[in-house]
Structure formats: C-alpha cells, structure tokens
Amino acid sequence: MTTTEKKEMEVVKGLDLERYMGRWYEIASFPSRFQPKNGVDTRATYTLNPDGTVHVLNETWSNGKRGFIEGSAYKADPKSDEAKLKVKFYVPPFLPIIPVTGDYWVLFVDPDYQHALVGQPSRSYLWILSRTAHMEEETYKQLVEKAVEEGYDISKLHRTTQSDTPPEADTAPADSKGVWWFKSLFGK
C-alpha cells in the first residue's frame, strides 16, 4: 500500500441513537474558511424525531451574536449497523428552499457516550465532541490519535474556545445569516 492510499475508515457499529442524542460541545475541529475565526462556544444539539430521523441544531457565538442553523440527520443505509449518517440542511436558513446534504460518520464514541470523534469520507472535516464544554487532555490526545489512525491530517485540527459557563440560546442576539454553517460542513 502506498502512502497516498488510505484504508477505509472504521466507523462505530451499533450506535445507540437515543444515547447519542442531546448536547455536544465542539472541543476541536478542522476549521473552514467560511466559519468565523472568532466563533466560540460552538455546539450541536441532537433530538430524536418520532420517525427515527434526528433534528440537528448547530450553534456558535461570534462577537456576542448567536449564529445557528437547523437540519436533520438520518442513516445513510437503514439496513446497516454502521454509524454513517447523512445530514441535510436547507439554505438559506431564513428561507429554507435548497437542501444541502453532507456525511456525518461517527468514528468513535466512548462506552458512556461522553466523547465522540466525527468525520466524513473525504477526511476534509473532523470534529472532536464532548458532553461537557471542556475535555481532559488525556482523552483529547486519545481522540487525536484515533483520528491519525483513520488517516486524518491533524495539523489542521483547531481547538474551539469554550466558556466555563456556556451561553444560553435566548440570551444573545441572533445572527440570522447562519450561512457559514452549511458552507463549513460542505466546503461550498
């Protein structure tokens, strides 16, 4: 195998979607040129819908304003036990008319569903997520090592600033554009 060939990524099998639901804080990610460089307190909240799909709410704060976009996620192959999801957002957020779909592959989640590593097949995007706004350094290093094993160039990994007391959604003025979210996810 040459160095340009990369093995297929291993994804979580048998992901318990109900346990995966709830709020996840972004500890680190591959930044996108479309994402605000000063975005802080970035997080995602997942809610299971009655039809088995997942409601997705992505939020970040930039210059004191809350930016957000909502979408839905669903299993790429309902018959597979692999944690390969598709995430669909409609854009622009204030006039949802154009569906944009991306991949969301859960590469690792700990047995207690407290930490997760999420990527996608092109390896252009990577997220390290935690149930709490801060992660122990040893745990962080283990997740970074897992990303390296899966063929990611971790030199692009950027830590996300998280407050000790994360803001609530209703305490900040909204950034109604929200467009950077889908651009950061899909590199468009």
Side-chain angles (χ1 to χ4, degrees):
M1 180 156 76
T2 67
T3 54
T4 55
E5 291 178 38
K6 292 185 177 168
K7 69 179 180 87
E8 179 151 343
M9 275 185 276
E10 286 184 38
V11 300
V12 171
K13 290 187 170 51
L15 181 73
D16 185 336
L17 260 187
E18 285 190 32
R19 289 186 70 199
Y20 196 77
M21 295 301 96
R23 180 168 289 170
W24 289 92
Y25 294 90
E26 181 185 282
I27 301 302
S29 68
F30 282 5
S32 159
R33 60 194 169 107
F34 298 104
Q35 193 169 341
K37 295 201 180 343
N38 60 348
V40 299
D41 295 318
T42 305
R43 65 193 184 199
T45 305
Y46 306 126
T47 310
L48 198 57
N49 293 319
D51 65 358
T53 62
V54 176
H55 175 263
V56 178
L57 170 64
N58 287 341
E59 302 171 280
T60 195
W61 275 258
S62 178
N63 297 323
K65 288 189 173 180
R66 174 182 175 253
F68 71 96
I69 191 166
E70 295 181 284
S72 62
Y74 52 93
K75 287 192 80 168
D77 177 0
K79 295 188 272 306
S80 171
D81 69 342
E82 291 186 315
K84 293 181 178 179
L85 305 176
K86 292 283 187 186
V87 182
K88 182 191 295 181
F89 294 102
Y90 285 91
V91 295
F94 48 86
L95 184 67
I97 51 173
I98 305 166
V100 179
T101 305
D103 293 291
Y104 182 106
W105 288 11
V106 182
L107 306 176
F108 173 83
V109 65
D110 70 295
D112 296 326
Y113 283 64
Q114 296 301 301
H115 309 106
L117 182 69
V118 177
Q120 37 86 280
S122 72
R123 293 178 176 87
S124 299
Y125 297 98
L126 182 72
W127 294 270
I128 293 178
L129 306 175
S130 175
R131 293 294 192 179
T132 58
H134 302 287
M135 178 182 282
E136 288 184 21
E137 193 61 25
E138 188 57 36
T139 302
Y140 178 79
K141 286 178 180 170
Q142 289 169 357
L143 291 171
V144 168
E145 185 55 40
K146 172 73 174 155
V148 170
E149 289 170 15
E150 295 301 336
Y152 281 87
D153 173 9
I154 56 144
S155 69
K156 297 188 285 188
L157 197 59
H158 173 77
R159 292 239 196 177
T160 304
T161 301
Q162 293 285 351
S163 304
D164 290 331
T165 53
E168 288 307 316
D170 53 6
T171 60
D175 168 12
S176 57
K177 297 187 195 75
V179 174
W180 65 267
W181 270 112
F182 84 89
K183 285 183 173 177
S184 73
L185 280 176
F186 308 108
K188 302 266 189 245

